[in-house]
């Protein structure tokens, strides 16, 4: 964290798209579509505010159990999102990265992801991580297996570097929208010292104003990381 107490890394569990749609008697995928509009607004706002990293939980390994048409709808939205936003990410110098096991994606989506990551890899004005088919426990187990193969004892930092998010600082703030008070297998290792905010706002209704209030509250917190007040 920077000395001005600004968060460097914000992570969000974007929950509530389904309920947003249901309340309007619309199919669940309308909620996800509306959720993508919120991603567009919030990501722009976050990077304009000078936050360096935004990590969004878009699809968990458990979400694969949802009805086929909902799953394929989300994959489709993800493809469209990349195609539509890549030019803008390049223009704004945002580094794009997908965090998770993308082996479940079809070749078209894998190519889109690889291409977007390659075209933005040198940028550092902002970093947008989309967690897709991501699970925190799987992340930890993968890292452990990788390190076992290398056959060495590791430090906490070396372990962190073996995770999908290796090289990035841990999130300062984790937000969950949608009025559920759980972590749902998100960045389990990485959020050890994150400030966690739960809001009842459904993701499609989440606005810059509320994010701003969360950031303002975070700036007032005194993070001691297990130490005492100095
Ligand atoms: C949680 O709401 C949301 C998801 C499981 C999917 C989020 C996906 C997107 C915003 C679209 C994907 C787009 C990109 C760019 C990756 P929920 O469906 O669990 O809502 P509910 O709890 O109200 O049912």
């Amino acid at each position: 964290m920077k000395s001005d107490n600004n968060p460097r890394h914000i992570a969000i569990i974007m929950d509530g798209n389904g309920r947003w749609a249901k309340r309007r008697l619309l199919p669940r995928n309308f909620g996800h579509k509306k959720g993508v509009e919120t991603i567009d607004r919030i990501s722009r706002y976050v990077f304009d505010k000078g936050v360096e990293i935004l990590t969004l939980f878009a699809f968990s390994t458990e979400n694969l159990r949802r009805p086929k048409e909902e799953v394929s709808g989300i994959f489709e939205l993800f493809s469209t999102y990349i195609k539509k936003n890549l030019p803008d990410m390049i223009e704004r110098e945002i580094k794009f990265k997908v965090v998770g096991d993308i082996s479940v994606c079809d070749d078209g989506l894998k190519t889109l992801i690889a291409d977007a990551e390659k075209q933005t890899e040198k940028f550092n004005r902002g970093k947008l991580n989309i967690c897709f088919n991501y699970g925190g426990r799987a992340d930890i187990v993968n890292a452990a297996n990788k390190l076992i193969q290398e056959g060495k004892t590791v430090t906490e930092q070396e372990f962190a570097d073996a995770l999908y998010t290796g090289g990035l600082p841990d999130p300062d703030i984790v937000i969950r929208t949608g009025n559920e008070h759980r972590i749902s297998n998100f960045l389990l290792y990485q959020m050890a010292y994150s400030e966690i905010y739960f809001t009842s706002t459904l993701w499609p209704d989440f606005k810059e104003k509320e994010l701003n209030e969360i950031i303002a509250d975070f700036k007032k917190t005194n993070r001691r990381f297990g130490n005492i007040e100095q």
Side-chain angles (χ1 to χ4, degrees):
M1 197 176 56
K2 288 183 271 185
S3 57
D4 54 10
N5 248 8
N6 275 327
R8 265 186 87 185
H9 185 176
I10 296 178
I12 308 181
I13 302 174
M14 308 179 288
D15 195 15
N17 296 344
R19 276 163 287 162
W20 186 92
K22 198 172 166 201
R23 283 177 195 176
R24 289 161 179 78
L25 305 176
L26 294 166
R28 292 178 58 82
N29 279 341
F30 272 76
H32 298 315
K33 197 160 176 246
K34 195 74 189 168
V36 175
E37 290 175 23
T38 308
I39 294 178
D40 286 340
R41 272 191 294 104
I42 294 293
S43 60
R44 184 168 287 275
Y45 183 74
V46 159
F47 295 130
D48 285 351
K49 256 186 109 64
V51 174
E52 189 185 321
I53 306 156
L54 177 66
T55 300
L56 299 174
F57 202 4
F59 193 78
S60 72
T61 44
E62 292 76 23
N63 289 153
L64 271 178
R65 299 184 199 133
R66 291 188 178 197
K68 245 198 194 133
E69 66 275 15
E70 181 171 349
V71 172
S72 60
I74 293 175
F75 278 57
E76 188 74 39
L77 281 172
F78 192 24
S79 292
T80 310
Y81 174 84
I82 298 174
K83 284 185 214 153
K84 186 168 158 252
N85 284 282
L86 182 59
D88 191 55
M89 289 191 274
I90 292 170
E91 181 167 334
R92 289 160 61 218
E93 300 187 359
I94 305 293
K95 179 175 178 165
F96 173 80
K97 183 176 154 76
V98 177
V99 174
D101 173 13
I102 59 158
S103 66
V104 295
C105 301
D106 65 25
D107 287 347
L109 180 50
K110 279 184 198 152
T111 306
L112 272 177
I113 293 169
D115 187 50
E117 288 185 340
K118 180 98 198 107
Q119 289 201 54
T120 60
E121 71 185 347
K122 299 246 152 53
F123 298 145
N124 61 10
R125 185 164 294 199
K127 293 178 185 156
L128 175 64
N129 302 313
I130 301 288
C131 296
F132 202 81
N133 198 31
Y134 175 85
R137 287 184 177 175
D139 194 2
I140 291 170
V141 170
N142 284 341
N145 284 327
K146 233 191 297 182
L147 294 164
I148 287 166
Q149 278 178 1
E150 290 169 26
K152 56 179 187 189
T153 332
V154 290
T155 62
E156 288 185 7
Q157 187 55 53
E158 284 166 330
F159 194 89
D161 288 340
L163 296 166
Y164 281 123
T165 49
L168 295 173
D170 290 339
D172 301 300
I173 296 176
V174 175
I175 301 168
R176 180 175 187 141
T177 61
N179 205 25
E180 305 285 2
H181 302 84
R182 350 175 235 278
I183 296 306
S184 296
N185 203 12
F186 196 31
L187 306 165
L188 299 178
Y189 190 90
Q190 297 90 329
M191 62 164 69
Y193 284 102
S194 306
E195 295 290 324
I196 304 179
Y197 292 84
F198 295 102
T199 166
S200 58
T201 307
L202 304 178
W203 176 247
D205 293 328
F206 189 71
K207 298 283 179 333
E208 293 82 335
K209 180 174 180 288
E210 189 169 3
L211 178 60
N212 221 3
E213 285 162 7
I214 290 172
I215 293 174
D217 185 81
F218 169 84
K219 286 184 178 186
K220 285 189 261 158
T221 61
N222 176 13
R223 298 168 87 206
R224 295 183 295 280
F225 299 95
N227 203 339
I228 58 167
E229 197 121 16
Q230 302 283 336

